[in-house]
Amino acid sequence: MGAEAQEGNSVRLKRAREDFDCDKGVVDDLALEDIFAGPTSMAKVFLKASFDPYVNYESVWPRPLPGVREIVPYAAVADTLADISAESSRLECIKCLTNLFLAVIQRSPSDLVSVIYLVINKQGPAHEGIELGVGDALLVKVIAECCGVTEAYIKDAYRQTGDLAEVAQNKKRQQSTLVKPKRLSAADVFKALRDIALMSGKEASRRRADVMKRLLRDAVGPEVNLIVRALQQKMRVGLAESSALAAIGYAFALHHIGLTEVVKFTPEQLQRELNIGSENFARIYHEVPSFEIVVGAMLKHGFNVIVPSSPEGGPTRRNFLFARVFQ
């Protein structure tokens, strides 16, 4: 966004705060951007172009051979987050993320929780208190070994660029390999990151380094960048968790409607369904902060499990969700 556009946007946001009589601590700029965009803005974004869970990802997630189970490639996650990091429109970012979640729901629902955690760069529910805890020193050593250079070289490049992920990606790009790397799956990368976070005790650093080397050895292109950023806990994608929660709700709403039926909706009708999805998913998630539980229940029992006005989303179903927490 240019300086002139940024200045104009700041003026609009300032006027909006005055019009809506709200302080910055109460309503953030992103919420005001949505107000400016209009009450059916998200629906219009989705109606602007059709979506096909196969065609839209054919370059990074080809159709499997007959009889082969669908697995979400890590490339689909990396490609989506790369697109988001290059996009200035929040609505378009949420659309990209929604499309990824929707494709996973339709093609490989068992991978959805792993994909969500990769997007928000967490290794489990907040109550588990899991953190990667990988220091730059260990990461520099691993990158140097994977790229066949000295630690001093990586440190110097890091010092010059200030971006270890870019250093790793650029150096890895220059490598030539005799054997084609094994294709990383989203589930495998999530499991590896979780394993790293849970490692402790004797030789934990060595075992962490071994897992990191396996990941970086098989990573290609933007996957390298994303893995390093994930290990550093510096994603730099510009996505708040609230945006991810909204995207999950939107994806389930669109899946519930059906892709062939979405185009028949007016912007107002579609926005109403999207709001039901995003608001209720966020509400339930904050009551039961576990994607394993909430997403698992929605995949098993359907979209209406989170809708209070539906039979599936009434007290009985809500009690089911809470009961799962204590199993």
Side-chain angles (χ1 to χ4, degrees), residues 27-50:
V27 179
D28 62 17
D29 287 348
L30 293 178
L32 287 176
E33 285 178 17
D34 289 345
I35 292 171
F36 267 123
T40 60
S41 55
M42 201 69 241
K44 289 175 180 175
V45 169
F46 285 116
L47 290 171
K48 193 164 54 176
S50 60

Side-chain angles (χ1 to χ4, degrees), residues 26 36 69 71 91 95 110 130 139 150 165 177 184 196 203 211 222 242 248 262 269 276 292 298 302 313-314 319:
V26 178
F36 267 123
R69 187 177 75 85
I71 296 175
L91 297 184
K95 176 190 173 183
S110 61
I130 299 174
L139 196 47
T150 64
T177 56
L184 290 172
I196 290 170
E203 297 189 335
V211 176
S242 58
I248 298 167
V262 168
Q269 290 172 329
I276 289 172
E292 289 87 344
M298 292 180 73
N319 290 341

Side-chain angles (χ1 to χ4, degrees), residues 133-145 151 164 196 204-210 212-213:
V134 176
D136 277 356
L138 179 59
L139 196 47
V140 165
K141 180 179 179 181
V142 167
I143 293 170
E145 290 184 22
E151 290 182 48
L164 189 56
I196 290 170
S205 292
R206 181 190 61 77
R207 289 184 286 122
R208 284 180 175 180
D210 288 343
M212 288 190 281
K213 278 186 275 189

Side-chain angles (χ1 to χ4, degrees), residues 8-29:
N9 195 47
S10 297
V11 171
R12 291 197 312 154
L13 292 173
K14 182 179 179 182
R15 288 176 181 170
R17 293 195 180 284
E18 294 171 353
D19 292 341
F20 287 92
D21 191 25
C22 54
D23 297 324
K24 191 161 187 175
V26 178
V27 179
D28 62 17
D29 287 348

Side-chain angles (χ1 to χ4, degrees), residues 11-199:
V11 171
R12 291 197 312 154
L13 292 173
K14 182 179 179 182
R15 288 176 181 170
R17 293 195 180 284
E18 294 171 353
D19 292 341
F20 287 92
D21 191 25
C22 54
D23 297 324
K24 191 161 187 175
V26 178
V27 179
D28 62 17
D29 287 348
L30 293 178
L32 287 176
E33 285 178 17
D34 289 345
I35 292 171
F36 267 123
T40 60
S41 55
M42 201 69 241
K44 289 175 180 175
V45 169
F46 285 116
L47 290 171
K48 193 164 54 176
S50 60
F51 172 74
D52 186 301
Y54 291 94
V55 174
N56 285 54
Y57 293 94
E58 60 185 355
S59 63
V60 291
W61 187 1
R63 293 173 186 264
L65 296 172
V68 177
R69 187 177 75 85
E70 285 261 30
I71 296 175
V72 180
Y74 186 58
V77 179
D79 198 59
T80 298
L81 293 183
D83 288 344
I84 289 172
S85 65
E87 177 59 62
S88 60
S89 166
R90 177 174 177 261
L91 297 184
E92 287 294 335
C93 289
I94 294 178
K95 176 190 173 183
C96 286
L97 198 52
T98 300
N99 286 345
L100 173 64
F101 292 148
L102 180 56
V104 176
I105 290 170
Q106 299 208 335
R107 297 180 61 176
S108 185
S110 61
D111 286 330
L112 182 57
V113 171
S114 295
V115 171
I116 291 171
Y117 278 129
L118 288 172
V119 166
I120 64 174
N121 198 27
K122 291 185 178 179
Q123 290 71 54
H127 66 264
E128 290 185 353
I130 299 174
E131 293 185 2
L132 279 168
V134 176
D136 277 356
L138 179 59
L139 196 47
V140 165
K141 180 179 179 181
V142 167
I143 293 170
E145 290 184 22
C146 285
C147 297
V149 296
T150 64
E151 290 182 48
Y153 177 93
I154 297 297
K155 286 179 182 177
D156 185 56
Y158 184 19
R159 192 161 41 247
Q160 290 181 34
T161 64
D163 192 332
L164 189 56
E166 284 296 324
V167 171
Q169 183 174 344
N170 291 337
K171 199 61 193 169
K172 190 88 178 354
R173 189 186 295 124
Q174 297 169 10
Q175 279 188 313
S176 57
T177 56
L178 297 175
V179 181
K180 187 177 180 180
K182 176 188 174 184
R183 193 182 185 198
L184 290 172
S185 73
D188 286 344
V189 174
F190 170 67
K191 182 180 183 303
L193 293 175
R194 183 175 169 86
D195 287 346
I196 290 170
L198 292 172
M199 284 178 185

